[in-house]
């Protein structure tokens, strides 16, 4: 069933509504609940496919459902409708307004209602895509304060990489931080690229959701065994590459590949003069898990993130080929 759990009056006789799709088991209910959240940023659309595909599979096999599944595809419906990252007209990032306030602005009020509706879930997955500038390997990011509880759950989600952040890098005003501090386990998923849908990545995430649902006792159907993720808990393990020149970036290496020290991942070029301004090379060997997608760069633009590590073999990955 579809429920409107938050609404607020707007100018010109309009009403902003945030809705969810709730799936309940047809048979015995074990009272477990998982919540799938996406659309907090209006330019992140990868989660739209995840919501669709997950809902489709559940509807096809309702007999496997033994708990509650809540799907929230559009937490920021105005942003999605206008392809705007934040709240249109307010120049405000919704993921910097949690836990919200009854007496605050429209966005703060909606944020409060969102937190209130999600509280009590046995697990919440907050799904994000990257922005239009970067492509991200499917990954889960976790505040180190909650790693003991969250890392085991993240391992079941079929992602390639689990990144445990230091507390100083986590903003308290995000949805995940607000829910985790209230005792609702919440995993932040980053994957793909902004303003696009990548079915391969979306299907990988859906398989992970079904797998973790089975571990929680919410799903009894067959699931795909989750891939073994790489886990990083040290800040110094992640290398950031930034452009030293402005120009057009020509990508030469895909993300989710193992790169050697000194290897070129692309070039910044000058189209007017037909010259290479910078050869963007890696300073360490490791896993290229983020790479620049949008070609126009300025001095200082983030070009890539590399997890410093030794190359993994096919046996270690459990799949054909290396990383």
């Amino acid at each position: 069933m579809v429920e409107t759990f938050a609404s607020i009056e707007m100018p010109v006789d309009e009403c902003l509504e945030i809705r969810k799709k709730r799936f309940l088991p047809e048979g015995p209910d074990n009272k477990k609940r998982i919540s799938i959240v996406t659309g907090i940023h209006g330019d992140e659309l990868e989660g739209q496919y995840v919501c669709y595909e997950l809902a489709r599979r559940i509807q096809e096999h309702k007999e496997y459902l033994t708990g509650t599944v809540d799907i929230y595809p559009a937490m920021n419906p105005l942003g999605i409708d206008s392809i705007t990252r934040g709240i249109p007209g307010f120049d405000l990032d919704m993921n910097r307004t949690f836990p919200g306030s009854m007496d605050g602005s429209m966005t703060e009020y909606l944020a409060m209602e969102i937190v209130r509706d999600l509280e009590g879930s046995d697990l919440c997955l907050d799904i994000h895509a990257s922005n239009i500038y970067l492509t991200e390997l499917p990954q889960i990011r976790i505040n180190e304060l909650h790693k003991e509880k969250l890392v085991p759950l993240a391992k079941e989600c079929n992602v390639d990489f689990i990144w445990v952040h230091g507390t100083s890098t986590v903003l308290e005003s995000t949805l995940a931080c607000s829910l985790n501090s209230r005792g609702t386990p919440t995993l932040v998923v980053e994957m793909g690229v902004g303003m696009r849908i990548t079915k391969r990545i979306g299907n990988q995430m859906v398989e992970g959701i079904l797998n973790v649902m089975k571990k929680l006792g919410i799903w009894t159907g067959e699931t795909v065994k989750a891939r073994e993720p790489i886990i990083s808990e040290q800040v110094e393990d992640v290398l950031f590459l930034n452009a030293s020149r402005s120009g057009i970036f020509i990508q030469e290496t895909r993300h989710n590949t193992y790169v050697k020290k000194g290897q070129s991942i692309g070039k910044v070029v000058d189209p007017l003069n037909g010259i290479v301004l910078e050869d963007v090379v890696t300073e360490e060997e490791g896993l290229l898990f983020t790479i620049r997608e949008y070609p126009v760069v300025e001095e200082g633009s983030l070009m890539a993130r590399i997890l410093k590590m030794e190359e993994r073999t096919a046996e270690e990955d459990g799949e054909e080929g290396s990383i």
Side-chain angles (χ1 to χ4, degrees):
M1 57 184 172
V2 176
E3 299 179 17
T4 298
F5 68 91
S7 64
I8 193 167
E9 295 297 325
M10 298 183 67
V12 200
D13 296 324
E14 293 182 324
C15 181
L16 172 61
E17 296 182 340
I18 304 180
R19 298 182 293 174
K20 69 179 180 182
K21 177 76 171 182
R22 168 162 284 186
F23 291 96
L24 297 170
E26 296 178 337
D29 188 348
N30 65 7
K31 306 303 181 184
K32 291 290 184 73
R33 175 189 173 205
I34 187 170
S35 295
I36 312 301
V37 172
T38 192
I40 286 179
H41 294 133
D43 62 347
E44 298 179 357
L45 305 177
E46 300 279 16
Q48 301 300 303
Y49 176 78
V50 173
C51 290
Y52 153 75
E53 182 64 12
L54 179 63
R56 185 189 68 80
R57 295 196 195 187
I58 291 174
Q59 288 173 145
E60 282 190 353
H61 295 286
K62 290 183 179 178
E63 69 275 15
Y64 296 148
L65 194 62
T66 55
T68 300
V69 179
D70 283 338
I71 297 178
Y72 303 76
M75 288 301 201
N76 177 10
L78 290 178
I80 291 176
D81 287 347
S82 60
I83 321 177
T84 305
R85 185 171 181 80
I87 306 292
F90 292 85
D91 193 26
L92 188 64
D93 186 338
M94 191 177 202
N95 210 27
R96 301 295 182 269
T97 62
F98 294 101
S101 169
M102 175 70 74
D103 301 319
S105 65
M106 178 192 82
T107 306
E108 290 175 310
Y109 170 75
L110 293 173
M112 179 203 65
E113 293 285 27
I114 289 169
V115 170
R116 181 181 295 174
D117 203 69
L118 289 168
E119 274 189 292
S121 301
D122 291 279
L123 177 63
C124 176
L125 285 171
D126 180 17
I127 300 176
H128 293 260
S130 185
N131 52 37
I132 64 171
Y133 301 102
L134 302 166
T135 298
E136 295 280 4
L137 186 69
Q139 62 194 262
I140 288 177
R141 299 179 183 180
I142 294 172
N143 184 331
E144 66 179 0
L145 291 176
H146 308 289
K147 67 179 182 180
E148 299 302 325
K149 178 187 292 186
L150 297 183
V151 169
L153 291 169
K155 287 181 177 179
E156 304 296 337
C157 290
N158 201 36
V159 295
D160 298 272
F161 178 37
I162 298 173
W163 191 359
V164 180
H165 279 278
T167 54
S168 61
T169 64
V170 177
L171 296 174
E172 295 181 359
S173 53
T174 62
L175 176 63
C177 187
S178 296
L179 287 173
N180 278 314
S181 66
R182 285 166 169 72
T184 298
T186 303
L187 299 173
V188 177
V189 179
E190 296 277 354
M191 63 183 198
V193 63
M195 294 191 185
R196 299 186 196 175
I197 286 177
T198 312
K199 286 181 65 177
R200 174 182 55 81
I201 292 177
N203 287 328
Q204 177 182 335
M205 194 68 241
V206 172
E207 296 292 354
I209 293 171
L210 291 173
N211 188 65
V212 78
M213 283 170 56
K214 191 166 188 176
K215 296 295 182 180
L216 292 171
I218 298 173
W219 186 255
T220 61
E222 291 297 320
T223 59
V224 174
K225 181 181 178 182
R227 59 188 66 195
E228 185 68 28
I230 300 166
I231 302 175
S232 172
E233 298 188 28
Q234 303 297 326
V235 175
E236 59 270 20
D237 286 344
V238 176
L239 173 68
F240 294 77
L241 295 183
N242 299 88
S244 62
R245 301 288 298 274
S246 300
I248 301 297
F249 178 60
I250 308 300
Q251 187 184 121
E252 295 182 347
T253 306
R254 298 182 61 186
H255 78 303
N256 195 20
T257 55
Y258 180 83
V259 293
K260 303 284 189 179
K261 183 177 181 179
Q263 180 177 335
S264 173
I265 66 166
K267 292 177 171 59
V268 178
V269 304
D270 177 354
L272 178 62
N273 295 302
I275 60 174
V276 175
L277 300 173
E278 177 189 4
D279 190 10
V280 183
V281 298
T282 62
E283 299 174 11
E284 300 281 351
E285 62 179 2
L287 172 64
L288 181 67
F289 69 92
T290 304
I291 193 167
R292 182 81 177 185
E293 184 73 24
Y294 193 72
V296 179
V297 301
E298 298 178 355
E299 182 180 347
S301 294
L302 179 62
M303 307 302 289
R305 295 189 189 99
I306 297 170
L307 176 64
K308 293 184 284 186
M309 58 176 286
E310 295 181 354
E311 187 171 13
R312 301 211 317 185
T313 65
E315 290 74 19
E316 289 172 316
D317 283 346
E319 300 178 357
E320 293 184 3
S322 62
I323 295 173

